[in-house]
Amino acid sequence: MEYIKEIFKYLKRTSPAQNEFYQAAEEILISLKPLIEKYPQYKKHKIIERIVEPERQILFRVNWLDDNGEIQVNKGFRIEFNSALGPYKGGLRFHPSVNAGVIKFLGFEQIFKNALTGLQIGGGKGGSDFDPKGKSDNEIMRFCQAFMSELFRHIGASTDVPAGDIGVGAREIGYMFGMYKKLTNKYEGVLTGKSLNWGGSLARKEATGYGCVYFAKYMLADCGETLKDKKCLVSGSGNVAIYTIEKLYHLGALPITCSDSRGMILDEEGIDLDLLKELKENKRLSLSEYTKFKPSAKYTPIAEYEKGRNNVWSTPCYAAFPCATQNELNIKDAKKLLENGCKCVCEGANMPSTPDAVDLFVERKIAYGPGKAANAGGVSVSQLEMAQNASMLKWTFEEVDTKLDGIMENIFQTASTTAKEFNEPSNLVLGANIAGFRKVADAMIEQGLV
Ligand code: NDP
């Protein structure tokens, strides 16, 4: 469609060198074609032209002192993308690969993901190119404080509520919350993913991984299948991967892989979850330590992967759960998965499959759950954390988990019904993109040109 192509060209010209953002934008814009053709109001109100521009982008310097007393300088980002449905909401990522294009892709995806949850949250994202690896606890604290000493003036419980992402867990949220409280003199739900001791929600830590498996459960139920006794591949070994593995076990599946940025584990007996948590959550060690405690498992360092590509995906499985990072599953991996009989790919990470891999999954009509639908459990429970903070109540684990399951079912149904409405019943990419977009777009039209 010429109109969408023109917008895409404009994006490339006016936001140069933001490849991840173009990738996310292209996928969404292309799938909007049938909606735009059928309903002229979106074109008339220039919703696409408006939605691809963040409402506000904040770039800032973060100075901090390392343990040697040396000054370190990092970049800080917060993109407040769209507030039509509620306060900006989305995580903070601390990773050396972070740049404006990465944060913008994550923020753009977040708008539609948050809309799909059916909750009142807008889309935003932020982070820094700070690398937490190898830093002492004091360095992490000083960095988080320095980061918040600028961010605090832009956020607030009803303005913009950040959470965690890669490199940002409960420890970092704690240090940032402490600094926010000191600077503003306010004890409010300005961050989610907080410790359970002081305002966090039960089941937030588990939410993205559990939600991803709930989404797979509903996708598979729709074709009369279950995960019981099925071999599953998981990538990553961080927050999302660990709780994906845990929920897979709850549903009777057998997760046999996990990975980190240095290598992967293949454990045919099933990943030892207690060991994984001990290594990754408690000790923050490399996965290579796993085989010291479980010698029957196999560790493959990344240097041995063919041309540096992740090879988690080369093991035969029924279902695959990419839970590490963007573009970790390419066309070659996708072909290998299908060749080996994989029937389901459900994304815990954001944009883990490359566009040609996504096209192949859609074309072959396997049960494919795109990240913006399948990993929305984290942000959903973040919103439940905000609701608990605002009402000064605390819900039980079961209450939150039951709500999460219901939200994931609802997201699946919304994406599936929308896909059917546009005559592509198995295409949840199209269904999720159109359903998310339509909700935000209608709100933007109703709120006028602001
Ligand atoms: P964590 O930092 O807890 O874990 C990330 C995992 O991915 C680690 O095992 C890390 O290995 C690995 N990893 C990171 N970068 C790379 C890379 N370039 N190559 C190979 N492995 C890599 O992050 P999360 O689990 O929170 O996030 C994982 C994904 O899920 C991200 O895409 C995130 O955006 C998405 N997500 C997270 C949500 C949440 O609630 N946390 C919500 C929705 C989506 P290592 O430790 O060696 O770096």
Side-chain angles (χ1 to χ4, degrees):
M1 193 185 186
E2 211 42 48
Y3 165 63
I4 286 177
K5 273 195 199 145
E6 282 306 313
I7 295 175
F8 193 64
K9 266 197 228 156
Y10 163 84
L11 274 187
K12 283 193 153 173
R13 184 167 50 79
T14 55
S15 303
Q18 297 190 342
N19 290 335
E20 291 84 356
F21 174 55
Y22 308 149
Q23 187 182 331
E26 189 166 20
E27 180 208 287
I28 291 173
L29 298 191
I30 287 172
S31 54
L32 296 178
K33 189 171 165 250
L35 181 82
I36 305 295
E37 283 172 351
K38 198 165 165 194
Y39 299 100
Q41 69 265 35
Y42 300 120
K43 200 169 166 188
K44 177 177 161 227
H45 288 273
K46 296 210 168 163
I47 295 297
I48 299 192
E49 290 88 332
R50 288 158 63 191
I51 215 166
V52 295
E53 282 302 333
E55 289 174 11
R56 195 173 297 112
Q57 302 190 61
I58 302 148
L59 306 181
F60 52 100
R61 187 184 67 194
V62 189
N63 304 320
W64 57 283
L65 275 183
D66 69 16
D67 285 348
N68 298 322
E70 297 269 336
I71 294 170
Q72 300 290 339
V73 185
N74 285 101
K75 292 184 193 303
F77 302 86
R78 185 73 186 165
I79 297 204
E80 298 181 332
F81 227 119
N82 192 293
S83 60
L85 295 180
Y88 308 104
K89 183 90 198 86
L92 296 170
R93 176 177 291 190
F94 293 168
H95 193 272
S97 64
V98 162
N99 57 41
V102 167
I103 297 298
K104 216 161 149 187
F105 118 64
L106 290 164
F108 193 59
E109 290 269 302
Q110 198 81 43
I111 304 172
F112 306 97
K113 180 190 309 194
N114 293 3
L116 274 174
T117 66
L119 305 169
Q120 294 311 129
I121 36 183
K125 198 81 189 187
S128 172
D129 60 353
F130 170 73
D131 185 359
K133 281 210 189 76
K135 303 291 188 299
S136 71
D137 197 50
N138 277 330
E139 287 176 324
I140 298 282
M141 181 177 74
R142 283 196 296 273
F143 175 79
C144 289
Q145 291 176 338
F147 185 82
M148 189 49 84
S149 71
E150 173 57 33
L151 189 65
F152 84 98
R153 66 186 93 247
H154 307 290
I155 60 177
S158 56
T159 315
D160 181 355
V161 185
D165 191 79
I166 291 179
V168 178
R171 172 180 62 166
E172 292 74 18
I173 293 288
Y175 292 145
M176 287 191 273
F177 183 86
M179 195 62 179
Y180 179 85
K181 180 163 64 73
K182 184 177 171 71
L183 292 169
T184 60
N185 203 24
K186 281 188 194 151
Y187 203 112
E188 58 176 13
V190 66
L191 292 163
T192 57
K194 299 186 288 294
S195 161
L196 295 176
N197 278 336
W198 45 271
S201 172
L202 285 158
R204 172 60 188 91
K205 181 174 70 173
E206 293 82 356
T208 309
Y210 278 23
C212 179
V213 180
Y214 290 145
F215 193 88
K217 174 181 77 172
Y218 290 114
M219 269 198 305
L220 291 171
D222 204 44
C223 31
E225 293 285 337
T226 72
L227 284 162
K228 192 156 174 20
D229 299 325
K230 306 284 182 15
K231 269 192 187 176
C232 298
L233 308 181
V234 178
S235 65
S237 54
N239 173 264
V240 180
I242 288 175
Y243 292 96
T244 293
I245 292 172
E246 184 162 289
K247 186 49 74 180
L248 283 171
Y249 277 126
H250 291 173
L251 299 193
L254 187 70
I256 55 171
T257 60
C258 60
S259 65
D260 63 13
S261 51
R262 283 171 278 194
M264 67 162 281
I265 288 289
L266 171 63
D267 188 341
E268 292 283 2
E269 292 171 1
I271 294 294
D272 183 331
L273 188 59
D274 290 338
L275 174 57
L276 184 65
K277 285 184 179 177
E278 182 59 18
L279 294 176
K280 286 296 182 181
E281 288 190 327
N282 300 339
K283 298 196 169 135
R284 299 173 193 272
L285 294 173
S286 157
L287 264 186
S288 56
E289 299 290 309
Y290 186 98
T291 49
K292 287 190 186 154
F293 301 90
K294 188 93 195 286
S296 60
K298 182 168 184 277
Y299 176 73
T300 310
I302 205 158
E304 284 179 31
Y305 295 1
E306 195 188 343
K307 291 190 185 140
R309 289 298 310 174
N310 190 329
N311 74 356
V312 168
W313 316 120
S314 58
T315 311
C317 71
Y318 175 82
F321 294 83
C323 295
T325 193
Q326 63 268 15
N327 294 327
E328 55 164 314
L329 193 165
N330 65 12
I331 183 71
K332 218 172 108 214
D333 302 322
K335 284 183 180 159
K336 191 80 197 163
L337 281 169
L338 296 178
E339 207 179 288
N340 282 335
C342 176
K343 300 279 186 289
C344 167
V345 175
C346 195
E347 297 181 340
N350 282 311
M351 208 169 75
S353 309
T354 55
D356 43 4
V358 174
D359 289 346
L360 186 66
F361 296 146
V362 171
E363 184 194 307
R364 295 288 187 86
K365 296 187 168 41
I366 64 158
Y368 170 64
K372 77 171 69 61
N375 72 30
V379 75
S380 301
V381 174
S382 273
Q383 200 274 355
L384 301 182
E385 183 174 327
M386 290 161 72
Q388 291 170 80
N389 292 161
S391 61
M392 297 191 176
L393 292 173
K394 199 167 173 83
W395 303 335
T396 63
F397 190 96
E398 287 67 32
E399 271 176 282
V400 180
D401 190 30
T402 305
K403 286 186 204 298
L404 168 65
D405 193 346
I407 290 169
M408 296 316 294
E409 181 177 13
N410 194 36
I411 294 175
F412 168 70
Q413 294 301 349
T414 305
S416 174
T417 310
T418 310
K420 286 179 190 138
E421 182 189 336
F422 288 89
N423 303 320
E424 294 208 35
S426 62
N427 188 346
L428 296 182
V429 177
L430 180 117
N433 286 339
I434 291 186
F437 173 85
R438 187 151 57 179
K439 191 141 194 267
V440 183
D442 290 345
M444 287 171 73
I445 294 172
E446 284 159 13
Q447 290 169 17
L449 187 59
V450 288

